[in-house]
Amino acid sequence: MIRAVKPEDAEQLSQIYDAYQSQSGGGWERDPLEPDRMAEHIAAWTPRLPWLVYCELDKPLGYACAMPWREQPAFRYTVETCVYLDASVRGQNLGSQLYRALIGQLREQQFHQALAAIPLPNAASIRLHEKLGFRKVAHFNEVGCQAERWINLGYWQLLLARFAPQAAP
């Protein structure tokens, strides 16, 4: 079942993120992402941006979310997106299902562009994003440092909707 995130999901989502980060080196946090900090992210971003969770028996086993790409008003129609799955459900097409639902909501909310920052190498994430229509637009060498090694970062971009922008309120 895919549903909107709830505040009480923060603990499980932080565990999913931390496990992903420790197993793949794909996260950007230096220390574990504490549930309180995850709850702060949820509270700050979900009034405007969708966060979706995949649950079995109401236990979150994965999530896809949108975050502001930049805080300046000029970037209000562009979001950064990501998806994280518990190791027990990877390879079951759930990442695609979550991401499609997220992209659908972003289109309904009239966002223009979605960006995904992918630590490289990461064949599975690249495959997922490109399957959903994202295209690589940037490659940065050695911009992150995790586990005492330099990490390259690629950006993938997806056009969500074409529309004439409105003046900022």
Side-chain angles (χ1 to χ4, degrees), residues 57-99:
L57 302 173
D58 209 39
K59 178 183 177 186
L61 295 175
Y63 69 100
C65 61
M67 301 158 289
W69 181 57
R70 301 273 176 125
E71 292 297 329
Q72 297 88 349
F75 300 106
R76 68 190 175 280
Y77 294 113
T78 300
V79 295
E80 186 169 342
T81 60
C82 60
V83 62
Y84 295 100
L85 298 173
D86 185 87
S88 69
V89 295
R90 290 186 198 143
Q92 299 177 26
N93 205 34
L94 299 174
S96 296
Q97 291 176 41
L98 270 167
Y99 234 142

Side-chain angles (χ1 to χ4, degrees), residues 5-149:
V5 70
K6 299 176 185 176
E8 57 266 24
D9 295 330
E11 183 170 350
Q12 187 65 27
L13 299 190
S14 66
Q15 290 175 13
I16 291 167
Y17 179 85
D18 289 341
Y20 176 83
Q21 178 171 287
S22 67
Q23 293 163 6
S24 70
W28 298 103
E29 302 292 330
R30 186 174 166 155
D31 298 315
L33 184 60
E34 296 296 328
D36 289 348
R37 188 146 168 251
M38 179 65 80
E40 289 172 8
H41 291 326
I42 292 168
W45 296 330
T46 57
R48 179 175 168 253
L49 300 167
W51 278 48
L52 302 174
V53 296
Y54 169 79
C55 295
E56 288 182 3
L57 302 173
D58 209 39
K59 178 183 177 186
L61 295 175
Y63 69 100
C65 61
M67 301 158 289
W69 181 57
R70 301 273 176 125
E71 292 297 329
Q72 297 88 349
F75 300 106
R76 68 190 175 280
Y77 294 113
T78 300
V79 295
E80 186 169 342
T81 60
C82 60
V83 62
Y84 295 100
L85 298 173
D86 185 87
S88 69
V89 295
R90 290 186 198 143
Q92 299 177 26
N93 205 34
L94 299 174
S96 296
Q97 291 176 41
L98 270 167
Y99 234 142
R100 281 190 184 100
L102 181 73
I103 290 166
Q105 287 193 14
L106 291 168
R107 286 183 168 139
E108 286 174 17
Q109 290 181 246
Q110 292 198 316
F111 283 96
H112 182 58
Q113 298 282 354
L115 301 174
I118 302 175
L120 301 173
N122 192 332
S125 187
I126 292 168
R127 202 169 30 254
L128 169 65
H129 285 85
E130 290 183 350
K131 177 171 84 170
L132 296 173
F134 285 78
R135 296 291 168 246
K136 188 174 185 182
V137 295
H139 185 108
F140 301 101
N141 290 313
E142 298 183 355
V143 294
C145 180
Q146 192 68 288
E148 290 75 42
R149 67 180 175 89

